[in-house]
Amino acid sequence: MLPLFVLATDVAARSNETTNWSEQDFALYPPFCRARIEREPKELVDYWTQRLGPKNYLHIHHFCFGLKALNLAYGNLKNKQKREFMANAVVGNFNYIVEHTERTFYLRPDAYVNLGRGHLLRQEYDVARQKFHEALKLNPKLVDAWVAMSDMYHQLGKKSDALAILEQASEICGENKKIDLRIAEMRSAGIKPSTADLVPVQKPAPEPAAPSEAAPASEPAVATEVVVEQAPAAAPASEAPPAE
């Protein structure tokens, strides 16, 4: 058995992997991560505070830490100890986002998808399925939620169910490469879809036709994925990541 101080050092090192960010990390993840983690420049902070909402921005670094932990978990699938550590970090950070951000936050469905992926890495399949369902309740057209759900069933050997989910996704989301390629591969392998109703999500109602006369402008629709806009450029900073 390893000495306790060795175990503690290993845990601290792994935690730092998710919370200590390099320029390469900032290039890979959404731009609001730089603003929140580095806390500068002021123009970038102000931009994302307004874009995300003050309350959501306050906690958004957990979204960033969760994304990085998820990639580290996928990159260490054969290292059980590290994979499990990172999966726990995914679940912890995205649970935090779900619990602390506003219910109308436009990244909430994505948080549920990634939370499901964390539980999937921990082989908690029923919980993962529940989280994917939560994402689709909020946004039935969230392709990543459908794909993650289908991939989970495929991983469990339930290939007919996996195909049925993708076909339902195609009906709701329309043409999409992620969905269409998977369907084509499974059909070419001779897989037939099951008839089980695995995802109780109704097809969204068609959008009403545009009025012939000009109407008053309505509130803008809530985005369903990270929108990379032209935010002010950030300069490197040496501040530590914000504490929870």
Side-chain angles (χ1 to χ4, degrees):
M1 182 176 179
L2 292 174
L4 289 179
F5 76 88
V6 174
L7 294 175
T9 301
D10 187 48
V11 168
R14 289 176 181 167
S15 297
N16 288 340
E17 280 190 86
T18 62
T19 58
N20 290 345
W21 285 50
S22 66
E23 280 299 314
Q24 184 179 7
D25 291 325
F26 287 124
L28 292 174
Y29 296 96
F32 53 70
C33 294
R34 180 189 293 275
R36 185 67 185 101
I37 293 171
E38 292 197 331
R39 303 186 187 185
E40 63 175 40
K42 183 179 183 301
E43 296 80 14
L44 196 64
V45 172
D46 291 345
Y47 175 85
W48 285 110
T49 300
Q50 182 179 11
R51 176 74 177 86
L52 302 177
K55 181 178 180 180
N56 302 321
Y57 175 78
L58 179 65
H59 305 296
I60 200 62
H61 54 292
H62 287 281
F63 195 101
C64 302
F65 295 161
L67 287 179
K68 188 176 180 185
L70 185 62
N71 282 335
L72 288 169
Y74 287 150
N76 291 276
L77 289 177
K78 294 183 180 180
N79 184 334
K80 180 180 178 182
Q81 188 178 33
K82 187 167 184 178
R83 183 189 71 235
E84 290 180 349
F85 183 93
M86 290 303 168
N88 290 338
V90 173
V91 170
N93 278 288
F94 283 110
N95 262 329
Y96 186 98
I97 287 293
V98 168
E99 292 170 3
H100 290 81
T101 56
E102 296 170 333
R103 291 189 176 275
T104 56
F105 185 34
Y106 77 96
L107 286 176
R108 195 173 183 84
D110 299 84
Y112 272 117
V113 173
N114 290 320
L115 184 53
R117 288 168 173 154
H119 284 289
L120 185 55
L121 283 164
R122 300 201 310 195
Q123 299 183 341
E124 297 168 347
Y125 303 113
D126 288 340
V127 181
R129 180 171 53 247
Q130 177 189 352
K131 301 308 176 184
F132 297 145
H133 281 168
E134 290 294 332
L136 289 169
K137 286 179 184 177
L138 294 173
N139 179 12
K141 291 189 175 183
L142 186 57
V143 169
D144 283 349
W146 289 105
V147 169
M149 177 99 68
S150 176
D151 286 352
M152 181 183 74
Y153 276 91
H154 196 282
Q155 179 181 327
L156 293 172
K158 300 180 179 181
K159 297 179 181 180
S160 293
D161 289 340
L163 179 54
I165 290 171
L166 290 174
E167 291 187 345
Q168 185 181 356
S170 180
E171 182 182 359
I172 291 175
C173 301
E175 184 177 345
N176 182 275
K177 286 185 177 181
K178 285 185 180 180
I179 295 171
D180 296 342
L181 287 174
R182 282 171 168 82
I183 290 176
E185 289 176 1
M186 294 174 76
R187 286 177 177 170
S188 66
I191 299 170
K192 303 294 184 182
S194 70
T195 58
D197 184 14
L198 298 168
V199 188
V201 176
Q202 295 183 349
K203 187 175 181 179
E207 297 181 2
S212 56
E213 296 181 2
S218 59
E219 290 293 322
V222 178
T224 57
E225 59 183 25
V226 178
V227 179
V228 181
E229 303 183 28
Q230 293 297 322
S238 57
E239 288 190 20
E244 294 185 6

